[in-house]
Amino acid sequence: QVQLVESGGRLVQAGGSLRLSCAASGRTFSSYTMGWFRQAPGKEREFVIAITWSGSTTYYADSVKGRFTISRDNAKNTVYLQMNSLKPEDTAVYYCAAKTNQAMGVSSARLYDYWGQGTQVTVSS
């Protein structure tokens, strides 16, 4: 069983920065691909970014390339989402997710086995 707890969401002005954290339980955190998804009101949950177990490979949605980065500290069982140059359209609930299986791909929510409760990010114009 893996428990994920996100933190760091808040109200921020457009152009600002924010860093989200996701703390994970479980002794095998370092073997999981970790991802961030977001869901805006009235929209489906969408892939944002992901990082492989070693941190050597990252994947980005086109909408966040050049603005968002993901990193992980396996010693602290924590994954981070650094968001820069925020836009109002980045407003959403952001979810951390763990992919514990070996299925191909990282951008489909169905590939992830565990989810956090989400943290609200609001970007004002």
Side-chain angles (χ1 to χ4, degrees), residues 101-118:
N101 56 76
Q102 301 302 314
M104 294 293 291
V106 297
S107 61
S108 172
R110 291 176 293 181
L111 295 171
Y112 292 78
D113 307 290
Y114 299 97
W115 293 83
Q117 82 288 350

Side-chain angles (χ1 to χ4, degrees), residues 4-9 20-23 33-51 68 70 79-81 83 90-99 106 109 112 114-121:
L4 304 173
V5 179
E6 304 97 333
S7 61
L20 305 183
S21 299
C22 173
T33 289
M34 297 297 296
W36 287 93
F37 289 74
R38 66 187 181 186
Q39 188 166 18
K43 296 187 177 182
E44 293 187 355
R45 190 169 299 189
E46 66 172 358
F47 170 75
V48 177
I49 201 167
I51 188 168
F68 290 13
I70 187 172
V79 62
Y80 304 98
L81 174 60
M83 303 186 291
D90 294 319
T91 294
V93 177
Y94 283 71
Y95 297 91
C96 172
K99 178 176 176 289
V106 297
Y112 292 78
Y114 299 97
W115 293 83
Q117 82 288 350
T119 186
Q120 176 71 47
V121 172

Side-chain angles (χ1 to χ4, degrees), residues 10 16-17 23-24 30 44 47 54 65 67 70 82 92 98 108 118 121:
R10 63 175 175 87
S17 297
S30 59
E44 293 187 355
F47 170 75
S54 65
K65 279 182 180 177
R67 301 189 299 122
I70 187 172
Q82 178 67 44
S108 172
V121 172

Side-chain angles (χ1 to χ4, degrees), residues 11 18 23 29 33 35 42 49 55 58 63 67 82 87-88 101 116 118 122:
L11 173 65
L18 203 57
F29 169 80
T33 289
I49 201 167
T58 54
S63 58
R67 301 189 299 122
Q82 178 67 44
K87 305 175 181 179
N101 56 76
T122 303

